Amino acid sequence: MSSLSVKTRREDVGKPLVIKPKAMSRHRLTASQHFPVYKKTSKCTGKHNRNSLDRMPPEIILKILLYLDAGSLFCISFVNKLFHDLSNSNALWYQFYTRELIKKKQGCQKVQATHGRHSVEVVQEKPKGYWRNAFFKEITGLNTNKWSKKLQRINPYSGLPCHTEEVLRSLCVSWQITVTDGRGRRSTFEQSHVSFSSTAGFVFWGAVNWPPFNHITSVEVHGVALVPLDCPAAYRPGWKSVMAKVKVQGECSELFVSDKVIKMVYVGQGITFGLWKDQLQIAFVIVNLHNHLLVQRSLHSSISSHREARVRALFDDVDSEFGLHGYTAYIELHNTARVLMSDRFSQLFCRRDHISGGFLPLKLIGENNRCPSAHLLSDVSLPWKTEALHGFIKDCCMISLTVWDEAKQPFWCVSAPVVITKVNQDTVSYGFDGASFSILYQDSEGRVEMRLKQMEYKEQYFVVNLVIYISVAKVNKHFGRDY
């Protein structure tokens, strides 16, 4: 039995002790209404003494949960099934949602209108977790009306949004990479750092415990947006979007060697592995992400209104060569630090009789249409860095290409590493003296062929030929044609 301690005054000594209950407010429930009365008996088990919350009515526990912050309320849902059900109450999370609206100073009238529209019955009728997800999106900033306006400002030269980096950093978007080995074991790694250019983002993963490269069978890249809750990072909720998924099988498309230390293997969809040259151990990974719809693709699973499906062009039954003309292209050669060359080309076309090999050629630069501004310094290199070493991959850079159709809609977007290789036999002089080099990029939707001449006395490369080949199947699908 626990003892009762009561303070008394000196003059009250010897008088009978009378304990008067405090007056209860008419709005306050009595003790018997709050908690059930349990009489102590000799049969009372230790289980009841250890966990008295199990004996409380759900209404009382909900009252207690109202005093928790959002992070604690979310974490308590992992305790057991009872707390999982109670902590997902729409009534609780609706309170957090309305408080967030007030906190962001969106106006008392809007908050009052929200309360008026959503009565208690309407709040409870929503699916379980509805108001919790609405609150998470509100504090994360995933309200598309807020950041979509920033993305509407387009760079007139590159044709891409100007504030992609600003929006991604304000939303605290990060990226994860998941590799799967032959036994089906999956390993997920957080990004080391990320950098941006005007056309693409570059995500890096450094020194982690990578599995051997020859054991990897597939690679996935995910965009991640975590909710800023005050809870352990392992339990923090968020959204994950699949941005790239590549099977690592057979021969890889490109292999670069630098300083007898690193060799780079490109596996597709902008994913490049940096390997120690004499081993099969991974030193780092670089992923290129083109800026077209980068915010939407990184948050795809959290924005129900976004659909990444490509919009087909309106069918034109008057123009017999619809889909063969009116293209615009912007091409940029760069590394992670600076732009090496950039140019924009418009009014690109292809005649029907020029289609061959399943590709539609668009000539940007040739002998009859030179471009004096299309040149780059001969010191082309791609920097790399690990925790212990750093270096440069010579004759390697990145290409970012955006092709628009006649309606100014992005039609083909590419961002990937490329290598400058020397051409041994070149029968065309193009009016330039010096060694000939080429840059080639190719995927399932098209390829880019670039021919360069190195001017040793000027230490520059001049682009003397540049052709984009677009898959005819891609053109037919987009324009509804049968070329």
Side-chain angles (χ1 to χ4, degrees), residues 48 99 104 124 158 202 209 214 250 260 262 309 333 340 352:
H48 288 167
R99 290 175 196 169
K104 291 188 175 180
Q124 296 294 354
S158 67
F202 317 105
N209 295 324
N214 59 336
K260 299 181 180 180
I262 289 292
L333 294 178
L340 305 174
R352 186 188 292 265

Side-chain angles (χ1 to χ4, degrees), residues 411-426:
F411 178 64
W412 186 34
C413 300
V414 170
S415 183
V418 291
V419 63
I420 300 178
T421 57
K422 189 173 183 178
V423 179
N424 295 326
Q425 296 180 353
D426 188 12

